[in-house]
Amino acid sequence: MSFLEPGRPARAWLRGPAALYGAAAQLRNWGYDRGWFTAARLPVPVISVGNMTVGGTGKTPVVILLVEWLEAEGRRVAVLSRGYRRSRADERVLVSDGTRLLAGPPEAGDEPVLIARRCPRAVVAVGSDRAALGRWVLDRFSVDCVVLDDGFQHRALHRDLDIVLVDAMDAGGLEAMVPAGRLREPLKGVTRADALVITRADDKQEVQTVRRRLASIHRSEAQPIEAVFRPHCTVSVLADEVRALDTWRGKRAWLVSGIGNSASFNRSVTALGLVVCGAGTFRDHYRYGKHDIERMKAEAKRAGADLVLTTEKDAGKLAPLLVAGDNWWALRIATVVTQGEARLRDLVSRGVEG
């Protein structure tokens, strides 16, 4: 388990380097706040989904939800992403033109490919300079609005709505800057957000801990919005097949995950009534090799697993390494806003209306 995964305590002996990192981040923010640096504007509204910490807070499923809401209103949406840990970091890559998938995880990154698969009508593109990427996309496609994936710290591009996610399972992640902890910038940066969404808000005690921490910084009459990620169905890693969750109740599952919060994935599977007989847990954005697959197949067989269950984000990387007959499935997750949905929908609608 990586130190930077949610749930790990801060390391006190690294608070010196963390203070330097925080000062640099604060100086950059001051530059934008005081007009020393200017943010480029696109000719269409921009909605940003971001977070304060490294590690997974659920940005991808929330981006998917917002795209679905916007498309239901008849809007044509483009999603812009950095494409973390892709093989061509400096190139612009068109992941989807809104009709077909044009790139895979190695070229585009894990999350953009998943977004393109789940939102087949959206234009999805990746590039390190999101302002230039946005202009490049708008020159080629007629879109009404842009959703910026992981954009809170990318202040070089103006946004009309800033949504910030905070993981209820990771209150400790708000305590210290990288490398001592997981904060990307000082916590008071949340005051720039138009909406705070507490994700993985299943446990009320965890939610209250995060609420108290945020209340000391973000004093607002509006309570943070709450959302949970609930299993929706399972999808074959190898074939275009979907099965209901009840199909697997009581079955023995070996889990495979390389995401920012593997504990959340494991908790979701257990809640479905599957018997978890083992797990292969890897760092976020892990690139699997044939040796990993063969080892996990052997371990799953020894454990008497009926199936191997992975995340939908991992499935795209695993599929090329499997062979016909492998009983590997991906758990599809849906975002459910449990508190403040009407307010979030209103913010999103107003954000794209300008």
Side-chain angles (χ1 to χ4, degrees), residues 83-328:
Y84 185 65
R85 288 198 176 178
R86 58 194 176 95
S87 59
R88 296 184 294 181
D90 295 325
E91 296 182 26
R92 300 182 192 117
V93 177
L94 185 62
V95 186
S96 172
D97 61 3
T99 60
R100 57 197 172 122
L101 190 66
L102 301 171
E107 302 83 22
D110 302 336
E111 290 89 349
V113 172
L114 176 54
I115 292 168
R117 290 185 184 277
R118 291 286 301 273
C119 305
R121 292 181 294 164
V123 175
V124 181
V126 299
S128 55
D129 184 339
R130 256 70 66 85
L133 179 65
R135 291 190 291 267
W136 183 76
V137 167
L138 292 172
D139 284 343
R140 288 159 177 77
F141 301 96
S142 176
V143 299
D144 303 314
C145 56
V146 164
V147 175
L148 191 61
D149 175 35
D150 194 12
F152 191 56
Q153 285 76 35
H154 191 78
R155 299 191 65 181
L157 178 60
H158 170 82
R159 67 289 314 275
D160 298 273
L161 178 67
D162 252 322
I163 300 171
V164 171
L165 312 184
V166 180
D167 188 347
M169 294 178 65
D170 189 33
L174 306 177
E175 297 301 325
M177 292 288 303
V178 169
R182 286 176 298 286
L183 280 172
R184 293 175 165 186
E185 61 174 289
L187 187 57
K188 63 183 178 182
V190 299
T191 57
R192 302 197 312 273
D194 299 300
L196 285 175
V197 180
I198 299 177
T199 61
R200 300 190 176 95
D202 305 86
D203 186 301
K204 293 306 176 186
Q205 184 173 350
E206 292 176 344
V207 171
Q208 287 305 316
T209 300
V210 169
R211 279 185 178 275
R212 285 193 296 269
R213 185 71 182 92
L214 293 174
S216 66
I217 302 293
H218 191 268
R219 300 188 182 280
S220 170
E221 293 182 3
Q223 290 293 322
I225 296 158
E226 295 179 16
V228 298
F229 304 128
R230 290 182 178 157
H232 181 261
C233 63
T234 57
V235 184
S236 172
V237 175
L238 283 174
D240 187 19
E241 182 181 357
V242 177
R243 289 190 185 178
L245 298 174
D246 286 346
T247 303
W248 311 110
R249 185 170 296 277
K251 299 292 186 181
R252 295 175 61 83
W254 179 273
L255 308 187
V256 177
S257 61
I259 57 175
N261 193 333
S262 293
S264 176
F265 172 62
N266 296 354
R267 185 166 75 174
S268 295
V269 173
T270 303
L272 294 175
L274 282 82
V275 178
V276 177
C277 59
T281 303
F282 300 84
R283 66 179 180 273
D284 197 12
H285 298 279
Y286 183 76
R287 293 296 173 208
Y288 299 96
K290 288 185 178 180
H291 62 286
D292 297 312
I293 303 303
E294 294 308 315
R295 177 175 59 83
M296 287 187 288
K297 284 182 180 180
E299 291 178 353
K301 183 177 181 179
R302 284 195 297 270
D306 299 304
L307 73 154
V308 174
L309 190 61
T310 188
T311 74
E312 205 171 9
K313 183 173 118 174
D314 287 301
K317 295 178 291 186
L318 292 167
L321 302 171
L322 301 179
V323 298
D326 285 338
N327 197 31
W328 288 47

Side-chain angles (χ1 to χ4, degrees), residues 12-27 176-181 183 186:
W13 61 92
L14 286 175
R15 288 188 181 272
L20 294 176
Y21 185 94
Q26 186 63 63
L27 181 62
M177 292 288 303
V178 169
L183 280 172

Side-chain angles (χ1 to χ4, degrees), residues 340-354:
E341 179 176 347
R343 180 156 56 92
L344 183 59
R345 282 183 178 271
D346 181 62
L347 287 168
V348 170
S349 295
R350 287 194 283 119
V352 295
E353 288 170 359

